[in-house]
Each structure stands twice: as structure tokens, then as C-alpha cells.
Amino acid sequence: MAIYWTTTAASTPAFVTIPDVGQINVDDTVCIRVVVPARKQRVHMAYTPFPNTPWDSVLLDLVGQRTGVSVPVDLQPVMDIRNTFRDESHVYEADVRLRDVDEYRAEGYVEFRDALWNCDGELAPADYIPEPLYIPSTLRVDVVDPQKTSAYDLEWYMELPLCTDLDVEGRWVSIDALPFNTDLVPPPDDHGRVWLPYTCRLRRIEYNEFMQCLKRQYPLMHWFGDSNLRRVLKKLTTRGDWCGTSDEHQTRPCICEDYKEEFTPFNATYRELIIDFDETGGQMLTDKDADFLHVPDNQTRIYFDKWEGLSSKNKPVWHNSFEESVTGRFGIPAVAMISLTNWDAAFDTRAHFALELERLFDIVKQEYPPTTELIIRTGQYFCCRSDYDPPDTRAFSRLRNAYFDQYVIAAFQEQFGHTHKVRVWNVASISEHRPWSYRNETTDCNANHARSEIVEIENQVLFNAMCN
């Protein structure tokens, strides 16, 4: 490995290597290494990474040539002092577990050097000019199952236990490859691929069944989040009818921006909503004299607080809702769902976000007893561009969003893992595993919303985890 540290961009492009290229068995790991040679003539001194994060943002996948399965490579800096210096070459590695029989090739590029992925504070987003990776054509990994005993073979998928977790690793598979009735699993995305976890089975849960489950187990929930949760609520209140047809899938609200569309069940401009659900769907509670503390018989209630994360973009400030106790006004819920990262990574510094997160922890401790389950929803996956949307230019980047998510998840687990049930609804991972060309389609959506078909699949993960 020593030779890697002597390379320079003048003589060598960034490249991918697999030390033990060849054949492995299903469920084995393969080491992937990326070297980004030093480029001392163009070093941006203002940008710095978060502690223990890389200088360079490298987007890399291992892609099955037959199945199209895309496996993200989570590269980490090699433990070497030279990796901590801005103007040195940088070496990254990852052990990638491969579970599907196929021939895999690496695909990707360098998104940013010199920590340009992290425009924290007043720094402007850097131009998104991907730098090619040199990937030799001979660099491939063959995954085999010589004994035909793989538990991940699709022939055995229907034998897996039902999913009960919100964060499960999986892959996107062409619906034409399924050897069973496709109605038994969640519906496909807009490219005819279905999300199938490796170690458990997702079943298709209709909205009527989900509502019956909520009545029994979660009659009251509190949700805190941005417009991505609003899109989830549009599905719930209409029992899946919102963006429910193939023609509607091609409309702008279903693809991206739904803020201004006419929507009867609730007013999307309200900051606080109470939505009661019965067998016909969900409807915003408008009667000011209604009993806000008690859920009507045979119904389910969601209190929704629309916020822009913990950022300064909230008007009024996000904690204003808690000045008069939320549980004192609306009851103690079975679940409190908290969605962060999207606005926080875009508009806040990590240091200020950490302070606001501590304030949120104090509030959660005051409001929600150990009987309330905490569901932490990740931000939406972001990639393939920089944001230049004046006057509110956003500091999005793939790595920045991912590290905000990691920070939030670790902090909640540390604060509440010993007192509450804490689960992570990892919607970012679902999109990250899509083929790169599908992920790249979000560049046409300034709001970075998931398409309605992906919202439906994210919902099915939630339905299974809550009701199986």
C-alpha cells in the first residue's frame, strides 16, 4: 500500500482497486480500495471535513451485470496519519458483503475533493464537477453459490420471516425476476423494480389493514417533520389513492413538488394538524371545541407538527410548539416520530445543530415517557448535484446529509436507548440502493422529494415494522 501515498494527480487519476479480485461465495465480503492522488496545485483551504470523515467524497457502487443489483460502497479512510492531511494522497477502503449471485463491476466517480462536500456555515456550495475514476475492465467480482444453498436466493424469499424492523438491508430486483406472485410484495418503483430485504420478507399491507393495526396498537401518534412526512400523510389520509394511478405518477406533484396542489383531507400550509382516521380515510380536525386529549372510539389520531428540522428557517422557531406541553394538549402517544437532517444539513452548521438537538432531547425527556416509542426518520437520500437556489442556497451534499443522519441516530441511541424503544426508519438507504441512473433523476426535483412510488415503498416498510 505504501506506493499509493507517492501518487499525484499529475501522473495518476483517482482509481479503484480490488486487492483480491476473482471469485467469492455468497455472503462473503470483498475489499474495495480507492486512491485519490494528491493535487497540490488546487487546494481549497476554506473547506474542512467533520472530525473522522474523509477529505474526498467518492460515490461508488458494485453493480451486478445480470441482475442490476446495486450495492453502495461505504468507503472509509484507511488508518494512516497521511490520510488526515489535506494535501496528501488519500486512501479509502470498504469491506462489501455481496449476497446475490452475479458478476459485479465497480461504477462511480469522485464527487468532491478538498472537503468541498462540506460547505458548513457561510461557505458556498462548490460546483458539482464529477471526476472520473479509473476502473480497469478486468476489475470484477464473481459471486457464486456452488452448492445452491443460498438463503438469499429469490426462490426462498417467501420462506423468510416477516420484517419487523425499520432499517433492513436489501436490494432492488426487477419485478420480472420474481418467481412468485408479485402481489405478495410491495409494489414496484417507476422502473419496475421492487425493494426486497435480505433477511426478512416484506408483505404488501393494504391501507385498511394498516389502519386497523393502528387502532389496536397505536391509536395516538405524534409526528414531527417536513414536507416529506406531509407526502406520507397524503398517502395515509387517502388510503393510498393520492398518486395512486400510473397516469398520476407522471404528474408534477407525484414526481416532486406537491405543496400547491389542491388537497381536501388537510391544509398543507398549516404548521400544526390533528388528523383523525376511520374506515373511510383521514380528515383534519377543524372543530376548535373538539376533545384534543382523547381519541374517538374506533379511530386513530396523528398530531403532525410541520417543521423545517431544527433550523432557523422555522417561523416561528421549532420549539414554540412545546412552550405549552404537547402531551398536555394532545395526549401521550404510543409513538413519537421525529424527522430531521433535510433542512438541518441544508441551512445549519453542525455546531449549532448540535446545540438545538440537545434542546430537543430535553423536550423529549419532559414530554415522552418510556412507554412512548421513538421513531427517527432519516433525511431523504441526496446525490448527484450541488444546490444553487437563491436566495436560500442549500448546503446539501451526499456525504454531508449522510453524516448528519449518522450523528442524529447515534445521539438518539445514546440519549434514549436505555429508557425508550428507539427505531430508525432508514428511508435514505432505500433510495441509496437504487441504480445510479434512477437516483440521478432527483436532480430535476429541487425539493429533493422522493417520487410517490418510492413514498409508497417507504410506507410499506413502516407498515410491516409496526404491524407484523
Side-chain angles (χ1 to χ4, degrees):
M1 189 183 293
I3 193 173
Y4 297 150
W5 306 103
T6 64
T7 59
T8 65
S11 60
T12 307
F15 63 92
V16 179
T17 180
I18 301 177
D20 298 313
V21 67
Q23 190 176 91
I24 64 172
N25 290 324
V26 165
D27 214 25
D28 283 349
T29 61
V30 61
C31 176
I32 309 294
R33 187 174 295 152
V34 173
V35 180
V36 182
R39 187 180 60 177
K40 299 184 181 182
Q41 72 276 21
R42 285 189 291 170
V43 174
H44 299 269
M45 301 300 293
Y47 297 79
T48 56
F50 297 133
N52 303 313
T53 65
W55 285 100
D56 312 293
S57 176
V58 181
L59 190 157
L60 189 67
D61 302 315
L62 288 182
V63 181
Q65 301 303 291
R66 178 180 58 83
T67 61
V69 167
S70 183
V71 183
V73 179
D74 183 20
L75 293 163
Q76 299 296 321
V78 170
M79 294 294 290
D80 190 293
I81 188 64
R82 288 166 289 191
N83 255 342
T84 65
F85 299 131
R86 183 190 301 269
D87 56 357
E88 291 281 357
S89 295
H90 300 133
V91 183
Y92 305 102
E93 282 186 345
D95 287 322
V96 183
R97 188 173 301 279
L98 297 173
R99 295 181 171 95
D100 294 285
V101 173
D102 209 333
E103 176 190 298
Y104 291 84
R105 295 180 183 267
E107 298 180 5
Y109 50 85
V110 179
E111 294 185 291
F112 299 103
R113 288 175 177 255
D114 304 328
L116 290 173
W117 58 267
N118 188 31
C119 45
D120 210 38
E122 299 300 321
L123 296 171
D127 291 337
Y128 194 82
I129 307 175
E131 178 184 337
L133 282 168
Y134 174 63
I135 305 174
S137 60
T138 56
L139 209 64
R140 64 177 184 267
V141 180
D142 292 313
V143 179
V144 299
D145 179 25
Q147 304 301 320
K148 307 297 182 186
T149 58
S150 170
Y152 310 118
D153 191 294
L154 294 177
E155 293 287 346
W156 302 104
Y157 185 75
M158 299 308 294
E159 304 300 320
L160 293 174
L162 291 173
C163 294
T164 58
D165 197 348
L166 282 163
D167 185 8
V168 289
E169 188 175 353
R171 76 288 211 192
W172 290 92
V173 178
S174 171
I175 197 168
D176 296 329
L178 301 186
F180 46 77
N181 184 348
T182 58
D183 290 337
L184 297 176
V185 294
D189 68 2
D190 52 309
H191 292 278
R193 300 183 80 86
V194 294
W195 174 248
L196 300 181
Y198 283 112
T199 57
C200 64
R201 173 168 57 92
L202 285 179
R203 64 187 179 97
R204 187 178 303 194
I205 296 179
E206 301 297 340
Y207 282 79
N208 284 343
E209 181 183 349
F210 181 59
M211 289 303 165
Q212 292 298 322
C213 163
L214 293 186
K215 288 180 188 178
R216 295 191 306 270
Q217 301 182 57
Y218 312 96
L220 176 63
M221 295 188 287
H222 290 181
W223 287 17
F224 302 89
D226 56 25
S227 53
N228 293 283
L229 276 186
R230 180 184 71 221
R231 291 168 74 81
V232 173
L233 283 172
K234 286 188 173 183
K235 279 288 189 184
L236 290 183
T237 54
T238 62
R239 301 293 177 103
D241 287 345
W242 178 72
C243 294
T245 68
S246 57
D247 287 341
E248 289 173 330
H249 289 166
Q250 307 310 313
T251 63
R252 193 61 184 168
C254 300
I255 294 173
C256 176
E257 188 50 77
D258 60 295
Y259 179 68
K260 295 182 180 180
E261 74 168 341
E262 294 288 336
F263 192 72
T264 303
F266 62 82
N267 189 323
T269 67
Y270 283 20
R271 307 298 296 185
E272 282 189 317
L273 294 170
I274 295 177
I275 302 175
D276 284 348
F277 297 84
D278 59 20
E279 66 277 0
T280 63
Q283 194 72 37
M284 179 176 67
L285 191 62
T286 57
D287 184 359
K288 295 182 179 180
D289 296 324
D291 184 353
F292 295 129
L293 275 173
H294 300 97
V295 181
D297 292 341
N298 297 316
Q299 292 192 13
T300 293
R301 175 173 290 175
I302 293 179
Y303 162 75
F304 177 51
D305 189 330
K306 165 70 166 57
W307 67 15
E308 278 68 63
L310 310 182
S311 74
S312 60
K313 294 297 180 180
N314 286 287
K315 299 291 188 283
V317 294
W318 66 268
H319 47 84
N320 187 70
S321 301
F322 298 96
E323 288 187 0
E324 184 180 349
S325 170
V326 167
T327 51
R329 289 184 291 149
F330 304 118
I332 296 175
V335 166
M337 184 183 297
I338 298 170
S339 177
L340 297 168
T341 292
N342 297 308
W343 286 76
D344 307 294
F347 294 113
D348 214 346
T349 65
R350 239 280 287 273
H352 184 261
F353 175 67
L355 294 175
E356 294 298 287
L357 195 59
E358 288 296 328
R359 186 199 295 259
L360 176 62
F361 290 159
D362 290 341
I363 290 172
V364 171
K365 291 172 183 176
Q366 294 170 9
E367 294 280 359
Y368 298 112
T371 53
T372 296
E373 177 183 336
L374 303 178
I375 294 180
I376 311 306
R377 178 182 160 112
T378 66
Q380 296 300 134
Y381 178 77
F382 182 90
C383 87
C384 319
R385 68 191 188 277
S386 290
D387 182 75
Y388 309 105
D389 184 29
D392 293 324
T393 300
R394 297 170 294 183
F396 282 142
S397 79
R398 181 184 63 87
L399 273 190
R400 183 174 166 84
N401 284 32
Y403 284 123
F404 263 75
D405 273 339
Q406 290 181 21
Y407 181 78
V408 168
I409 293 167
F412 264 95
Q413 293 286 5
E414 180 180 353
Q415 287 286 330
F416 300 102
H418 62 292
T419 58
H420 293 67
K421 183 177 182 180
V422 180
R423 295 204 281 177
V424 178
W425 186 9
N426 197 341
V427 297
S429 177
I430 294 172
S431 288
E432 185 181 22
H433 281 77
R434 302 186 80 201
W436 175 85
S437 60
Y438 303 169
R439 284 176 271 161
N440 194 46
E441 293 172 354
T442 63
T443 57
D444 294 330
C445 179
N446 190 51
N448 199 44
H449 287 152
R451 292 180 61 107
S452 60
E453 300 97 320
I454 304 300
V455 175
E456 175 63 29
I457 294 163
E458 294 169 352
N459 284 358
Q460 287 291 322
V461 172
L462 178 70
F463 295 178
N464 275 258
M466 295 183 76
C467 297
N468 281 338

PDB file of all heavy atoms in Angstrom, residues 395-406:
ATOM      1  N   ALA A 395     -26.893  23.813   1.577  1.00  0.00           N
ATOM      2  CA  ALA A 395     -25.577  23.174   1.709  1.00  0.00           C
ATOM      3  C   ALA A 395     -25.650  21.666   1.542  1.00  0.00           C
ATOM      4  O   ALA A 395     -24.847  20.932   2.117  1.00  0.00           O
ATOM      5  CB  ALA A 395     -24.974  23.528   3.067  1.00  0.00           C
ATOM      6  N   PHE A 396     -26.591  21.183   0.770  1.00  0.00           N
ATOM      7  CA  PHE A 396     -26.730  19.744   0.565  1.00  0.00           C
ATOM      8  C   PHE A 396     -25.471  19.134  -0.059  1.00  0.00           C
ATOM      9  O   PHE A 396     -24.827  19.728  -0.917  1.00  0.00           O
ATOM     10  CB  PHE A 396     -27.884  19.467  -0.400  1.00  0.00           C
ATOM     11  CG  PHE A 396     -29.255  19.562   0.194  1.00  0.00           C
ATOM     12  CD1 PHE A 396     -30.295  20.116  -0.549  1.00  0.00           C
ATOM     13  CD2 PHE A 396     -29.534  19.111   1.457  1.00  0.00           C
ATOM     14  CE1 PHE A 396     -31.575  20.198  -0.033  1.00  0.00           C
ATOM     15  CE2 PHE A 396     -30.805  19.180   1.990  1.00  0.00           C
ATOM     16  CZ  PHE A 396     -31.827  19.724   1.226  1.00  0.00           C
ATOM     17  N   SER A 397     -25.173  17.926   0.325  1.00  0.00           N
ATOM     18  CA  SER A 397     -24.299  17.043  -0.439  1.00  0.00           C
ATOM     19  C   SER A 397     -24.566  15.634   0.059  1.00  0.00           C
ATOM     20  O   SER A 397     -25.119  15.444   1.153  1.00  0.00           O
ATOM     21  CB  SER A 397     -22.813  17.404  -0.284  1.00  0.00           C
ATOM     22  OG  SER A 397     -22.297  16.926   0.947  1.00  0.00           O
ATOM     23  N   ARG A 398     -24.181  14.661  -0.719  1.00  0.00           N
ATOM     24  CA  ARG A 398     -24.450  13.270  -0.343  1.00  0.00           C
ATOM     25  C   ARG A 398     -23.805  12.941   1.003  1.00  0.00           C
ATOM     26  O   ARG A 398     -24.455  12.410   1.910  1.00  0.00           O
ATOM     27  CB  ARG A 398     -23.922  12.347  -1.439  1.00  0.00           C
ATOM     28  CG  ARG A 398     -24.148  10.859  -1.188  1.00  0.00           C
ATOM     29  CD  ARG A 398     -23.512  10.030  -2.281  1.00  0.00           C
ATOM     30  NE  ARG A 398     -22.069  10.214  -2.299  1.00  0.00           N
ATOM     31  CZ  ARG A 398     -21.207   9.513  -1.571  1.00  0.00           C
ATOM     32  NH1 ARG A 398     -21.651   8.561  -0.745  1.00  0.00           N
ATOM     33  NH2 ARG A 398     -19.915   9.730  -1.654  1.00  0.00           N
ATOM     34  N   LEU A 399     -22.508  13.264   1.137  1.00  0.00           N
ATOM     35  CA  LEU A 399     -21.821  12.930   2.387  1.00  0.00           C
ATOM     36  C   LEU A 399     -22.305  13.774   3.552  1.00  0.00           C
ATOM     37  O   LEU A 399     -22.445  13.277   4.673  1.00  0.00           O
ATOM     38  CB  LEU A 399     -20.311  13.116   2.225  1.00  0.00           C
ATOM     39  CG  LEU A 399     -19.499  11.941   1.676  1.00  0.00           C
ATOM     40  CD1 LEU A 399     -18.010  12.215   1.816  1.00  0.00           C
ATOM     41  CD2 LEU A 399     -19.851  10.639   2.380  1.00  0.00           C
ATOM     42  N   ARG A 400     -22.536  15.055   3.324  1.00  0.00           N
ATOM     43  CA  ARG A 400     -22.979  15.923   4.420  1.00  0.00           C
ATOM     44  C   ARG A 400     -24.306  15.418   5.002  1.00  0.00           C
ATOM     45  O   ARG A 400     -24.469  15.300   6.219  1.00  0.00           O
ATOM     46  CB  ARG A 400     -23.114  17.359   3.929  1.00  0.00           C
ATOM     47  CG  ARG A 400     -23.511  18.352   5.014  1.00  0.00           C
ATOM     48  CD  ARG A 400     -23.480  19.786   4.476  1.00  0.00           C
ATOM     49  NE  ARG A 400     -24.155  20.706   5.378  1.00  0.00           N
ATOM     50  CZ  ARG A 400     -23.589  21.276   6.441  1.00  0.00           C
ATOM     51  NH1 ARG A 400     -22.329  21.012   6.737  1.00  0.00           N
ATOM     52  NH2 ARG A 400     -24.272  22.110   7.206  1.00  0.00           N
ATOM     53  N   ASN A 401     -25.258  15.109   4.129  1.00  0.00           N
ATOM     54  CA  ASN A 401     -26.532  14.565   4.608  1.00  0.00           C
ATOM     55  C   ASN A 401     -26.337  13.257   5.357  1.00  0.00           C
ATOM     56  O   ASN A 401     -26.941  13.031   6.414  1.00  0.00           O
ATOM     57  CB  ASN A 401     -27.483  14.369   3.437  1.00  0.00           C
ATOM     58  CG  ASN A 401     -28.089  15.668   2.944  1.00  0.00           C
ATOM     59  OD1 ASN A 401     -27.459  16.718   2.998  1.00  0.00           O
ATOM     60  ND2 ASN A 401     -29.304  15.613   2.451  1.00  0.00           N
ATOM     61  N   ALA A 402     -25.482  12.391   4.819  1.00  0.00           N
ATOM     62  CA  ALA A 402     -25.266  11.084   5.451  1.00  0.00           C
ATOM     63  C   ALA A 402     -24.655  11.238   6.843  1.00  0.00           C
ATOM     64  O   ALA A 402     -25.058  10.540   7.784  1.00  0.00           O
ATOM     65  CB  ALA A 402     -24.368  10.223   4.565  1.00  0.00           C
ATOM     66  N   TYR A 403     -23.718  12.163   6.993  1.00  0.00           N
ATOM     67  CA  TYR A 403     -23.088  12.335   8.308  1.00  0.00           C
ATOM     68  C   TYR A 403     -24.014  13.033   9.295  1.00  0.00           C
ATOM     69  O   TYR A 403     -23.935  12.778  10.506  1.00  0.00           O
ATOM     70  CB  TYR A 403     -21.756  13.064   8.174  1.00  0.00           C
ATOM     71  CG  TYR A 403     -20.666  12.161   7.639  1.00  0.00           C
ATOM     72  CD1 TYR A 403     -19.967  12.481   6.485  1.00  0.00           C
ATOM     73  CD2 TYR A 403     -20.352  10.974   8.290  1.00  0.00           C
ATOM     74  CE1 TYR A 403     -18.981  11.641   5.991  1.00  0.00           C
ATOM     75  CE2 TYR A 403     -19.374  10.127   7.797  1.00  0.00           C
ATOM     76  CZ  TYR A 403     -18.691  10.462   6.650  1.00  0.00           C
ATOM     77  OH  TYR A 403     -17.726   9.618   6.170  1.00  0.00           O
ATOM     78  N   PHE A 404     -24.900  13.900   8.832  1.00  0.00           N
ATOM     79  CA  PHE A 404     -25.929  14.442   9.723  1.00  0.00           C
ATOM     80  C   PHE A 404     -26.823  13.306  10.211  1.00  0.00           C
ATOM     81  O   PHE A 404     -27.152  13.223  11.401  1.00  0.00           O
ATOM     82  CB  PHE A 404     -26.756  15.510   9.003  1.00  0.00           C
ATOM     83  CG  PHE A 404     -26.310  16.920   9.264  1.00  0.00           C
ATOM     84  CD1 PHE A 404     -25.168  17.415   8.673  1.00  0.00           C
ATOM     85  CD2 PHE A 404     -27.032  17.753  10.101  1.00  0.00           C
ATOM     86  CE1 PHE A 404     -24.738  18.723   8.906  1.00  0.00           C
ATOM     87  CE2 PHE A 404     -26.630  19.052  10.354  1.00  0.00           C
ATOM     88  CZ  PHE A 404     -25.472  19.548   9.752  1.00  0.00           C
ATOM     89  N   ASP A 405     -27.244  12.425   9.305  1.00  0.00           N
ATOM     90  CA  ASP A 405     -28.069  11.279   9.706  1.00  0.00           C
ATOM     91  C   ASP A 405     -27.362  10.443  10.763  1.00  0.00           C
ATOM     92  O   ASP A 405     -27.954  10.060  11.787  1.00  0.00           O
ATOM     93  CB  ASP A 405     -28.388  10.405   8.494  1.00  0.00           C
ATOM     94  CG  ASP A 405     -29.621  10.848   7.725  1.00  0.00           C
ATOM     95  OD1 ASP A 405     -30.462  11.557   8.307  1.00  0.00           O
ATOM     96  OD2 ASP A 405     -29.748  10.476   6.544  1.00  0.00           O
ATOM     97  N   GLN A 406     -26.097  10.116  10.526  1.00  0.00           N
ATOM     98  CA  GLN A 406     -25.354   9.288  11.470  1.00  0.00           C
ATOM     99  C   GLN A 406     -25.256   9.958  12.839  1.00  0.00           C
ATOM    100  O   GLN A 406     -25.383   9.293  13.872  1.00  0.00           O
ATOM    101  CB  GLN A 406     -23.954   9.007  10.914  1.00  0.00           C
ATOM    102  CG  GLN A 406     -23.934   8.074   9.720  1.00  0.00           C
ATOM    103  CD  GLN A 406     -22.520   7.818   9.221  1.00  0.00           C
ATOM    104  OE1 GLN A 406     -21.533   7.999   9.949  1.00  0.00           O
ATOM    105  NE2 GLN A 406     -22.396   7.399   7.971  1.00  0.00           N
TER     106      GLN A 406
END
